[in-house]
Amino acid sequence: MLAQFTWAQFLVAAAVLTLVWYCLVILLFYRKELKSFLNGKPTQSKAIEPLPHHWDQQVDQFEQEAEDYLMGKSKMPEGVSVISAEEIGFADAKPQQLGLVADVLEEIKTIFGILVKEDGNKYDFVNLMQSVRESYPKIASHPNLDQINDFIISNASFHITREELDTLWY
C-alpha cells in the first residue's frame, strides 16, 4: 500500500499535517499573544516571578531551625580544634630529631643480635657501642637517653649499671 505514494507526496502530507498541528497549538495556547501580534501591539513581557506560596515565610525559618534541632550542630572530631594562624608557634629554633632514638634503638638491637650469635659479653658490648656513640654524637644530650638506657638494662644478657651506661655515652 505504501508503494503507491511517492516521496514528494509523503513530504507534502507531512508538511501540511505539521502546519495544521502548529496552528492548533498556537490557537489554543497562545491566543492572547496572537491577537496582540495581529493588532500590531507590542507584547507585554512579564517578568517571570515565582508564584506566591503560603509557606514561603515558614520555609526559611524552618531551614535555620532545622540545622539546630533536627540533627544537632556539627561537632569537631575528638582531639581536633580550630585555631588561628597567630596561635601557631614552634618551641625551639633547633629541631629535635625524632628518628634519632629509633635509629639508636635499632643499632642496639643489632648489637644484641650479634652478641647472641657470637656469645658476646659486656666487653664486646662496650666495644660495639663505641661505633654507635660515634655514629650518633647528639644522643648523649638527648632528653630520652634514660629510656634508651632502660632498654639496654632490660635486654642485656649481662649485668650493667647505670653508671657504666652513663660513661658509655660520654
Side-chain angles (χ1 to χ4, degrees):
M1 177 174 143
L2 294 176
Q4 298 172 2
F5 297 110
T6 64
W7 278 105
Q9 291 171 340
F10 171 74
L11 292 175
V12 167
V16 168
L17 289 175
T18 303
L19 184 66
V20 168
W21 173 259
Y22 279 110
C23 288
L24 287 174
V25 169
I26 289 172
L27 289 174
L28 288 175
F29 296 108
Y30 298 100
R31 189 173 300 153
K32 292 179 185 176
E33 288 83 359
L34 181 63
K35 282 183 184 179
S36 65
F37 177 73
L38 293 177
N39 292 336
K41 295 179 182 176
T43 58
Q44 298 174 355
S45 61
K46 291 198 291 187
I48 298 175
E49 296 178 16
L51 296 174
H53 299 289
H54 68 281
W55 64 81
D56 278 343
Q57 300 281 337
Q58 298 168 355
V59 171
D60 294 336
Q61 190 177 34
F62 176 73
E63 287 177 3
Q64 292 172 354
E65 292 173 2
E67 292 176 4
D68 293 340
Y69 76 88
L70 188 58
M71 292 186 59
K73 292 185 177 182
S74 62
K75 181 180 175 186
M76 298 289 286
E78 186 175 330
V80 175
S81 63
V82 178
I83 60 173
S84 65
E86 292 81 27
E87 295 179 64
I88 297 174
F90 299 99
D92 293 339
K94 65 174 190 173
Q96 179 183 3
Q97 298 178 356
L98 297 176
L100 184 64
V101 174
D103 292 342
V104 170
L105 287 176
E106 284 301 316
E107 292 282 337
I108 294 171
K109 288 177 187 177
T110 305
I111 289 172
F112 283 146
I114 292 170
L115 292 176
V116 168
K117 285 181 186 175
E118 297 181 6
D119 196 29
N121 56 18
K122 187 190 312 190
Y123 179 74
D124 297 328
F125 175 74
V126 171
N127 287 335
L128 291 172
M129 284 299 291
Q130 295 296 330
S131 64
V132 174
R133 183 179 68 186
E134 292 169 3
S135 298
Y136 303 99
K138 293 184 180 180
I139 197 67
S141 62
H142 199 276
N144 293 335
L145 186 61
D146 289 335
Q147 284 83 9
I148 295 172
N149 289 339
D150 290 340
F151 177 78
I152 293 172
I153 291 171
S154 64
N155 291 310
S157 60
F158 46 84
H159 178 70
I160 189 166
T161 64
R162 288 205 177 269
E163 291 79 22
E164 291 172 326
L165 288 175
D166 288 337
T167 59
L168 183 68
W169 297 113
Y170 298 105

